[in-house]
Amino acid sequence: MDEIYLNGKFVSRSSAQISIMDRGFLFGDGVYELIPVYNKKIFLLHKHLNRLKNSLSLIGMSDISGIEDIIKKFISRNSNDHFFIYLHVTRGEQSQRNHIYKEAMEPTILIMCEEYPSYNKDQIQKGFHACMHEDFRWLKSNIKSISLLGNVMLKNHASKHGYYETLLIRNNKLTEGSASNVFMVKDNIIHTPKLSNELLPGVTRDLLIDLLKDNNMIINESDISQDDLLSSDEVWCSSSTNAVVPITMVDENQIGSGKVGSTSLLIYDITRDFIKNY
Ligand code: PLP
């Protein structure tokens, strides 16, 4: 859809304008959400809005009143069944470029629709390859910040080398992927890094943990070392664009049998059904 929402107005992408003095443009001073819409229904909207509120609070901004109604009004104008809502909030425009922001600024609010490829079952069954890299990003990765240069560099490192994702290691601990959370399976127990300032509290991560528990699987939120990861039986990445993406190789290392494992396929199917029935 060409139409976007910007600061109270519905306008076309090409005619939308923001000030060069916007702190989002000058400092990357803002936060965002990416929210799936399946069969015209907004998926887990309240979880995304809670995370937005938390990200805003962590950067000293107030919650955006009426945002739910704005999003609903915006998507009612889109005739597609499946798409993603990109919601971007910056601290707003300031007359001079200054690291120090004014209190009570008027935020800039942008909402637009995006489309991302969703992998089909054949692609999921084949699995994907990932690489590993030191996590050199800042220590507030729990904020869904629009300052994504570190993530952009790390995701491009993967794609330039033909990998789906870069898995990030800091102090010999897995944090997350450059644009996803990570799960691994060892001896039928599922592990994912526990929440901290070093990773994003993924909405899909949260959903998968609930679905795994509902299906009587054991899930352990704890530290995962590089060796743990490489000696695991299965690995998958999770995100709102593709809920479960099985990883069968990490750099030169085969994960488990080198084929997509049964737990990955099971959680893929469970999640796909949950989405279908949502
Ligand atoms: N971690 C990072 C760095 C991300 O960019 C994303 C999604 O974009 C995720 C994790 C997964 O979060 P969610 O499941 O809420 O999409």
Side-chain angles (χ1 to χ4, degrees):
M1 188 174 75
D2 181 51
E3 190 180 61
I4 64 142
Y5 170 93
L6 182 62
N7 295 333
K9 295 197 179 103
F10 295 98
V11 289
S12 69
R13 273 186 197 228
S14 51
S15 66
Q17 292 189 329
I18 60 153
S19 163
I20 59 154
M21 298 311 291
D22 192 279
R23 293 187 63 92
F25 178 64
L26 291 176
F27 293 103
D29 187 350
V31 297
Y32 77 105
E33 281 296 325
L34 188 78
I35 313 170
V37 175
Y38 299 118
N39 297 319
K40 299 193 191 293
K41 284 194 203 126
I42 312 175
F43 192 60
L44 303 175
L45 175 63
H46 290 114
K47 288 200 178 225
H48 283 280
L49 292 183
N50 274 341
R51 183 172 63 187
L52 176 71
K53 186 176 174 184
N54 195 43
S55 293
L56 286 166
S57 149
L58 288 167
I59 66 164
M61 284 180 70
S62 312
D63 200 13
I64 310 293
S65 68
I67 192 70
E68 186 172 337
D69 289 343
I70 297 171
I71 293 172
K72 287 185 173 158
K73 190 165 170 202
F74 177 67
I75 72 145
S76 70
R77 300 163 76 101
N78 190 328
S79 56
N80 294 345
D81 288 346
H82 304 299
F83 55 94
F84 292 87
I85 299 162
Y86 177 76
L87 166 60
H88 177 108
V89 181
T90 81
R91 203 181 300 271
E93 181 186 344
Q94 206 165 3
S95 55
Q96 287 201 307
R97 183 187 175 278
N98 190 334
H99 283 59
I100 300 169
Y101 53 78
K102 293 210 174 95
E103 293 305 325
M105 292 179 57
E106 191 62 42
T108 297
I109 303 171
L110 162 70
I111 309 176
M112 53 188 189
C113 296
E114 289 292 320
E115 284 178 26
Y116 295 102
S118 129
Y119 299 122
N120 61 35
K121 184 93 186 246
D122 282 351
Q123 290 168 301
I124 293 296
Q125 275 169 332
K126 279 194 192 116
F128 291 76
H129 293 186
C131 54
M132 249 183 327
H133 202 287
E134 181 208 342
D135 190 350
F136 54 66
R137 303 169 307 155
W138 73 332
L139 291 170
K140 286 189 186 286
S141 299
N142 52 325
I143 300 173
K144 201 159 169 66
S145 162
I146 61 169
S147 311
L148 283 172
L149 186 55
N151 303 66
V152 165
M153 290 169 73
L154 290 159
K155 187 73 178 182
N156 279 273
H157 171 73
S159 77
K160 272 188 194 126
H161 295 91
Y163 297 111
Y164 165 72
E165 180 59 302
T166 304
L167 311 184
L168 306 175
I169 305 283
R170 177 180 285 135
N171 298 328
N172 191 32
K173 270 185 345 199
L174 172 69
T175 54
E176 59 179 340
S178 69
S180 60
N181 292 112
V182 185
F183 290 74
M184 60 158 253
V185 185
K186 181 74 182 171
D187 300 331
N188 295 320
I189 299 180
I190 301 150
H191 304 260
T192 193
K194 63 175 183 287
L195 292 181
S196 75
N197 58 308
E198 293 181 311
L199 61 145
L200 189 76
V203 169
T204 319
R205 174 190 180 280
D206 214 32
L207 170 69
L208 296 188
I209 290 174
D210 287 346
L211 292 176
L212 289 163
K213 285 183 181 161
D214 289 349
N215 284 274
N216 301 319
M217 288 187 245
I218 306 171
I219 163 100
N220 188 6
E221 296 177 64
S222 59
D223 290 346
I224 296 174
S225 71
Q226 184 169 320
D227 282 351
D228 293 336
L229 180 73
L230 295 180
S231 61
S232 66
D233 304 324
E234 299 180 39
V235 171
W236 73 77
C237 293
S238 74
S239 75
S240 294
T241 39
N242 279 284
V244 177
V245 178
I247 303 295
T248 53
M249 291 277 282
V250 176
D251 294 311
E252 306 306 313
N253 307 280
Q254 182 177 298
I255 299 298
S257 65
K259 298 217 157 63
V260 175
S262 55
T263 311
S264 309
L265 289 175
L266 183 64
I267 188 62
Y268 171 82
D269 285 341
I270 290 171
T271 313
R272 193 199 43 197
D273 292 347
F274 181 85
I275 291 171
K276 217 184 272 171
N277 299 321
Y278 186 74

